[in-house]
Amino acid sequence: MIGGAIRYRGLLYSLTRREIQVRYTQSVLGIAWAILQPLALMLVFTLVFSALLKVPSEGIPYPIFAYSALLPWTFFSSSLNRAIPSIETNAPLIRKIYFPRVLFPISSVLATFVDFLIGAVILIGMMFYFSVSFTINILWVAPILLIQIVFTIAICLFASAINAYYRDVKYALPLIIQVWMYASPIAYPASLVPEWLRTFYFLNPMAGIIFGYRNVLVKGLPPDLSYLSIAAAGSLFLFILSYFYFKRIEMSFADVL
Amino acid sequence: MTAISFDHVSKRYRKGLMGYRTLREDIYGLSSKLIRPGKDSDKDFIWALRDVTFKVEKGETLGIIGPNGAGKTTALRLLAGITKPTDGSISVKGRMGVLIELHAGFHPELTGRDNVYLNGSILGMSRSEIEMKYDAIVEFSGLEDFISTPVKRYSSGMLVRLGFSVAIHVDPEVLLVDEVLAVGDYAFQSKCYNRIDRLRESGIATVFVSHNMERIRQYCDRVLLLEHGSIVRQGPADEVCEHYVRSAQQRITSAGSGQALDTSSIPRLYGPVLLDSERVQNVCFKLVDAKGEQTHRIRTGDNVAFRFSFEAPAEINDMEIAISFYSQDGRYMTGVNTRADEVVFPAIQGHISGAIRIEKLALHPGEYVAAFVVLKGGELLYRDPRLLFAVEYEKPYWGLFQLDHGWQIEVE
């Protein structure tokens, strides 16, 4: 796998570049779309959850409370939206030439990561605007981001492989993403989740990841290590599982697509 | 040294819905299997290849021919590593160049330049390698002026040119060529073949799949004939190509009389076949030389004639007689037709015989097929592409046909 990664890094780079180049051609707003989605959701959430429903935000201004979670969440959900159909949409290529098929979903995730970086600039701007204090705990972003990427790739590998066989995956995806979002502490603080439900709640790696981001970015706290390690262990386990699953069935993609 | 070895390879595909299945269909399939256990019956599958074994040495070019559905494309896909064999093993040594559907890796929204980089890396070149060869690639394609244009604005010929240019610069040790070069203009095609020629001379192993017998004979040292997924013949290019065309011929002529044949099983190399026994019977169609003797071998520039005769039991009005000429690989060379020549028949019946004289035959050396055609008011009554003949010529010749010509030169 490592050898392959080095051998095919040029191709991974080209495929990722292609995704980025292609995504916003023939659109007026272009790359601005990368930040419009989390920003628009932030506005809606601020109106609905904060102004109308009075959801508490642990003393943090609600817009940045929401955006600090929406930014990584959008990275996750957009990755799924793009990477899961990637085997199917690249069928012409898959039928014509061999190279490791994992490059398709991974390049989709990497291309989405560029959107995430652009969105992060907005976050930093907002942190200044709302005078959030920067603490040393902000360094935790790196390991949390790593866990998120591993988890995202794990889900994308598994689901994109199944989608090559059963398009049901693609059709179910919008619903799953929606439900998943409400099952993660994005619109509301994790502290609202009742004590007895917490262990179960944090079995969802995205819950631990989002909770972690919010702690280290806007609250200036270290992440909750027990929840984060559940997320880390779960992500790694899933990654290994789905990588080998993907490898096992990738040779039949050309026959079923 | 062996570059490619195909060892008892079989490939099986599932019949019916390939791929696009929903979970429900699979659950249904699974539950019916639970209720009625047992292995999948052989009827559910198609064997695209069955127990195929061959080797290609370095420096050798192997041609694969056969009718549609014989398994040629499956063999190439297996060689390219796109799909795995159901049985048997395949080994390919060396960097592979794949000239199959050349622009598969292109993205329509990207410019020619971006696609060169993208396709190059798909084909296994590193970025620095592509940078090094970039100018040569663009020059070869002849698309310098369009290289900053998104390829969605390219014509299909331009796409093939760019695709080929990238693919050929991979410097392969093993080259797989499908009939991709059929597209693109003549000048570019010959440029491509020259390039392939040079690669072959440098000692790479090549597998070449084509319906074009001329090309196969020209390029291949050895040829495999596939039919229904099995090798039915292999050997020197000339011998196997001839066998293939003759057996296709035989199938055309021996496959019964009365109505149009089921053409799914035969390559429609020489147009439709129709043997109407009611209205056109006892057809005799032959080639004769200048002395009037029947022959199958003539020379370019000869005066020859095609004689025909047939019985028309019922009256045929508004009749036309036509003869079509095909090269052996199925290229429609030329044709003659009584209506076009304003030869008008009254309503006729009985025994009809005639001939068409051809002066200074313009066909170049090669093998040709002549089809005898009878029509009634534009409707096909009889069409039999049966007459196989060879044209010989010992002097040098160029291009597609021989002009009837004379020189006139004055020096003052």
Side-chain angles (χ1 to χ4, degrees), chain B residues 102-133:
Chain B
L102 295 163
H103 48 280
F106 283 178
H107 197 289
E109 298 288 349
L110 298 181
T111 64
R113 179 179 301 109
D114 292 332
N115 271 308
V116 167
Y117 278 92
L118 177 63
N119 226 24
S121 44
I122 287 171
L123 295 173
M125 285 194 262
S126 73
R127 227 172 152 74
S128 57
E129 197 182 346
I130 304 171
E131 251 152 47
M132 221 168 63
K133 294 174 178 167

Side-chain angles (χ1 to χ4, degrees), chain B residues 138-394:
Chain B
V138 176
E139 198 202 315
F140 190 90
S141 73
L143 294 169
E144 289 93 340
D145 296 342
F146 304 97
I147 207 68
S148 305
T149 309
V151 302
K152 65 179 172 184
R153 312 230 185 279
Y154 280 28
S155 69
S156 58
M158 287 159 82
L159 285 173
V160 171
R161 271 153 67 179
L162 193 62
F164 184 88
S165 303
V166 178
I168 206 71
H169 282 84
V170 172
D171 290 338
E173 292 158 90
V174 173
L175 184 66
L176 308 180
V177 188
D178 202 350
E179 277 183 310
V180 282
L181 302 175
V183 209
D185 58 56
Y186 189 76
F188 188 74
Q189 270 190 41
S190 45
K191 203 163 148 187
C192 295
Y193 279 109
N194 284 339
R195 187 75 193 218
I196 294 177
D197 244 4
R198 277 214 312 237
L199 282 172
R200 284 172 51 228
E201 279 158 17
S202 72
I204 66 165
T206 310
V207 176
F208 192 81
V209 168
S210 182
H211 279 296
N212 186 327
M213 296 299 138
E214 256 172 70
R215 291 285 188 209
I216 291 274
R217 279 170 195 234
Q218 193 180 344
Y219 283 99
C220 300
D221 306 306
R222 215 151 45 80
V223 171
L224 292 185
L225 172 57
L226 285 181
E227 262 169 41
H228 304 299
S230 306
I231 298 178
V232 292
R233 204 177 178 98
Q234 59 177 312
D238 283 335
E239 185 193 307
V240 179
C241 288
E242 191 158 328
H243 171 83
Y244 172 54
V245 173
R246 277 181 203 283
S247 66
Q249 278 286 299
Q250 269 163 19
R251 267 182 294 174
I252 291 169
T253 48
S254 67
S257 55
Q259 69 258 81
L261 295 170
D262 172 17
T263 47
S264 62
S265 64
I266 49 172
R268 290 177 55 131
L269 271 174
Y270 315 118
V273 180
L274 183 73
L275 311 163
D276 188 322
S277 61
E278 303 239 320
R279 289 185 282 187
V280 177
Q281 297 179 347
N282 298 330
V283 177
C284 173
F285 180 49
K286 64 186 181 185
L287 171 64
V288 298
D289 61 19
K291 282 174 259 163
E293 279 168 33
Q294 184 171 3
T295 181
H296 288 286
R297 244 161 230 290
I298 49 181
R299 291 171 67 256
T300 304
D302 276 359
N303 296 334
V304 299
F306 288 87
R307 288 192 191 283
F308 52 84
S309 65
F310 59 93
E311 308 277 345
E315 197 175 85
I316 303 176
N317 50 31
D318 197 14
M319 183 178 74
E320 284 170 61
I321 294 173
I323 298 172
S324 304
F325 297 93
Y326 290 84
S327 66
Q328 196 189 36
D329 62 1
R331 190 184 306 167
Y332 193 176
M333 303 301 286
T334 185
V336 290
N337 179 298
T338 52
R339 183 187 293 274
D341 296 330
E342 292 170 358
V343 177
V344 182
F345 297 98
I348 50 174
Q349 80 181 98
H351 183 81
I352 295 138
S353 66
I356 172 164
R357 279 179 297 107
I358 293 167
E359 272 153 33
K360 292 194 181 163
L361 185 79
L363 295 174
H364 268 162
E367 293 193 356
Y368 296 89
V369 175
F372 181 68
V373 189
V374 181
L375 301 102
K376 172 180 178 279
E379 175 205 355
L380 208 55
L381 294 185
Y382 181 92
R383 192 179 190 286
D384 185 9
R386 164 163 56 178
L387 185 62
L388 187 71
F389 62 96
V391 177
E392 293 165 347
Y393 197 53
E394 49 284 346

Side-chain angles (χ1 to χ4, degrees), chain B residues 186 362-365 393 395-403 405 407:
Chain B
Y186 189 76
L363 295 174
H364 268 162
Y393 197 53
K395 289 186 221 157
Y397 61 95
W398 297 269
L400 293 175
F401 64 94
Q402 189 80 262
L403 288 169
H405 65 285
W407 295 96

